[in-house]
Amino acid sequence: MEPNVDHMSMWSLISAASIVVQLVMLILVAASVASWVLIFQRTNMLRAAKRSLDAFEERFWSGIDLSKLYRQAGSNPDPDSGLEQIFRAGFKEFSRLRQQPGVDPDAVMDAVNRSMRVAISREEEKLENSLPFLATVGSTSPYIGLFGTVWGIMNSFRGLAQVQQATLATVAPGIAEALIATAIGLFAAIPAVIAYNRFSARGEMLIGRYYTFADEFQAILHRKVHTSDE
């Protein structure tokens, strides 16, 4: 006798599962939903950061006066532009120390370098935000799903001990409802792992460009501070 189709439907299997397996499924679904929310948020954030980076670099290398660019950035700051925050931190420190008489040029550049490194560290924290959660979901969801599967199969075999004649129709629903937990675990883990790798790579690319800009900007200020002292 073949198992009833309605009895083997996805919702019927989930509703017939034990409390422990249902709790596992609920945890995995919640983790998956949270992961997708973060994925959309991080995608939009990284896209905006890349767009703002390109726009600010274009303005910076257009030949505009640095003091004018600093005033424009201060009067109309772009919260998505990490490069603008780094520029403002470096130029603010440079201008502050240059207004003090008798300050050694090397001391000025050291202070500028520290200010920009601190700004870059803040931008790194923004880019790495939520990545640990995606890594946790990606690495633990399969095991949580496997736990639900093992528990469900264990209950199925315990039920078989009370049946005199075990058939496929008797075993199939219990095993199927148990395997759903593993399927949900993989459904939660795979997008989280892909998103984590993608966001990590894009974040490293942006950080690399931040460091490159900081080095180039520092070289410009280095020439500026030594030329003005001659």
Side-chain angles (χ1 to χ4, degrees), residues 38-113:
L38 287 176
I39 287 171
F40 285 117
Q41 290 178 345
R42 302 302 295 177
T43 298
N44 293 333
M45 189 275 288
L46 288 171
R47 192 172 297 159
K50 174 65 165 53
R51 191 185 312 117
S52 299
L53 187 153
D54 292 336
F56 186 82
E57 269 197 336
E58 183 177 354
R59 290 168 59 196
F60 181 83
W61 296 111
S62 65
I64 187 174
D65 181 71
L66 295 181
S67 299
K68 181 179 180 181
L69 181 60
Y70 178 76
R71 289 193 298 271
Q72 290 178 354
S75 61
N76 187 25
D78 184 357
D80 296 324
S81 179
L83 208 61
E84 181 180 298
Q85 305 303 321
I86 297 167
F87 166 78
R88 291 177 60 192
F91 195 79
K92 179 180 180 181
E93 190 69 11
F94 177 82
S95 301
R96 184 182 68 84
L97 292 178
R98 289 297 294 159
Q99 293 175 359
Q100 300 178 8
V103 180
D104 183 68
D106 292 334
V108 173
M109 296 312 304
D110 288 341
V112 169
N113 179 61

Side-chain angles (χ1 to χ4, degrees), residues 121-184:
S121 296
R122 293 196 186 104
E123 296 305 317
E124 280 187 282
E125 291 178 1
K126 292 180 183 178
L127 293 174
E128 293 174 357
N129 187 30
S130 303
L131 288 183
F133 178 81
L134 292 176
T136 301
V137 172
S139 60
T140 61
S141 292
Y143 295 104
I144 296 175
L146 183 60
F147 169 77
T149 297
V150 171
W151 187 275
I153 292 177
M154 182 177 64
N155 286 338
S156 297
F157 281 113
R158 288 176 59 190
L160 288 178
Q162 304 174 4
V163 179
Q164 294 183 353
Q165 184 177 4
T167 63
L168 181 62
T170 306
V171 179
I175 295 179
E177 71 187 30
L179 291 175
I180 291 176
T182 296
I184 297 176

